[in-house]
Amino acid sequence: MKRILLALTLAACSWLPVAQAEVQVEDAWVREAPPGARMLAAYLTVNNSGAEDLVLVEVQSPAFSHIMLHKSEVVDGVARMVHLDEIVIPAQGSVQLQPGGMHLMMPAPEARPSAGDRVPLVLIFADGNRLEVQADVRKKP
Amino acid sequence: MLKPEKTRFFLPLLAIIPALLGALLLTGCSAPEPPELRQATLLPVAKAVADFRLTDQAGRPFTLDNLKGRWTLAFFGYTHCPDVCPTSMAMLGQVQRNLAKDPSTGELPQVVFFSVDPERDTPELLASFVPYFHDSFIGVTGAADEILKLTRQLGIIYGKVEGSGSDDYLVDHSAAIILFDPEGRFRALFNIPHKPEYIVADLQAIKQYYEATR
């Protein structure tokens, strides 16, 4: 599994242009899928030290068929998931994707990543810039 | 015969005794105050639940009788839920481990994951999903109308999200955790966001209050 992921990562790197210096991504992680679960979630924090707002429009990964930008929200005690077209990271600000809030959602692949694995995520911004990060697969609340 | 000085001492004492007894009786008979809780909402009166007929992850019947004889924490979700459900279930796993470490806990509560997506959540699927969070956890599914029979008594609501696909649909659902007392009655609920340390503390307080008011 790790070897496949490494190969995929290298393959992914080869088509990646240079990312913006003012964007930093911290604490990117994918929740290990419980057995039987068909959807996974990933979380990360995006810091924008630039003078302009950044707009995250898409996330791709060679490890997943597709990734959606989502937000869980609880309204009157009812949890619902909302699809997001984009996530704006304000200038000189940051946005946290975290359990129970904004997150990335993707179908679990056949070869399910398990705790300890790392998977690449490629963040694509509205201005065309891309940033690749490595997300740890973790089992945690 | 009592000497005058002894009588002077004894008579006021006689008068005080009934007052003291009365005070003691009043203290003993008045109900304890409901506990102060950090996260739970305690129902003023425990709500009896009508029977329902569901199935656990081993294919055995799961009915109201299964909620009797011990405390139960119940969560209502679905296995295809990637964020809120695994977060809540992992949090309940933490609750269970914290309770197991606390010597005052006594018997651990049972934790039950009730599926609100019976179309996809078969007992077999629950058998692999639920024990991942704690090996004592129970998964329950069944006929849609039997799930509704239980949930509508608890104020738990859920529904498929319109517009999502036929097999990859999402389900909106109440995020609260329900607490049943050992008589199978709806006793309290924990609203989101859930903190395991608050749930542990509130559960212990509610149990003590329950024992003191039986």
Side-chain angles (χ1 to χ4, degrees), chain A residues 5-80:
Chain A
L5 287 177
L6 182 65
L8 287 170
T9 310
L10 291 174
C13 288
S14 62
W15 50 264
L16 278 177
V18 183
Q20 293 161 295
E22 64 265 27
V23 193
Q24 295 97 33
V25 171
E26 287 176 79
D27 197 30
W29 64 283
V30 179
R31 182 190 294 285
E32 183 185 70
R38 282 175 45 187
M39 300 307 265
L40 299 184
Y43 308 95
L44 47 83
T45 298
V46 191
N47 299 313
N48 176 13
S49 58
E52 308 259 322
D53 289 357
L54 274 171
V55 184
L56 178 67
V57 290
E58 195 180 349
V59 179
Q60 297 179 348
S61 172
F64 302 107
S65 61
H66 62 282
I67 298 178
M68 288 160 276
L69 308 181
H70 264 225
K71 182 182 176 186
S72 296
E73 55 184 24
V74 178
V75 179
D76 296 332
V78 178
R80 54 174 55 111

Side-chain angles (χ1 to χ4, degrees), chain A residues 31-32 34-41 43 70 72 74 77-81 99-101 103 105 139-141, chain B residues 78-80 82-84 86-87 90-91 94 125 128-129 132-133 157 167 170-176 191-192:
Chain A
R31 182 190 294 285
E32 183 185 70
R38 282 175 45 187
M39 300 307 265
L40 299 184
Y43 308 95
H70 264 225
S72 296
V74 178
V78 178
R80 54 174 55 111
M81 276 200 292
H103 57 274
M105 182 175 103
K139 179 182 179 176
K140 74 169 197 180
Chain B
Y78 65 113
T79 66
H80 286 53
D83 182 46
V84 169
T87 304
M91 187 284 308
Q94 194 61 49
L125 185 51
S128 58
F129 178 82
Y132 171 82
F133 301 98
I157 57 173
D167 192 43
L170 300 170
V171 182
D172 291 345
H173 58 96
S174 298
N191 268 319
I192 214 161

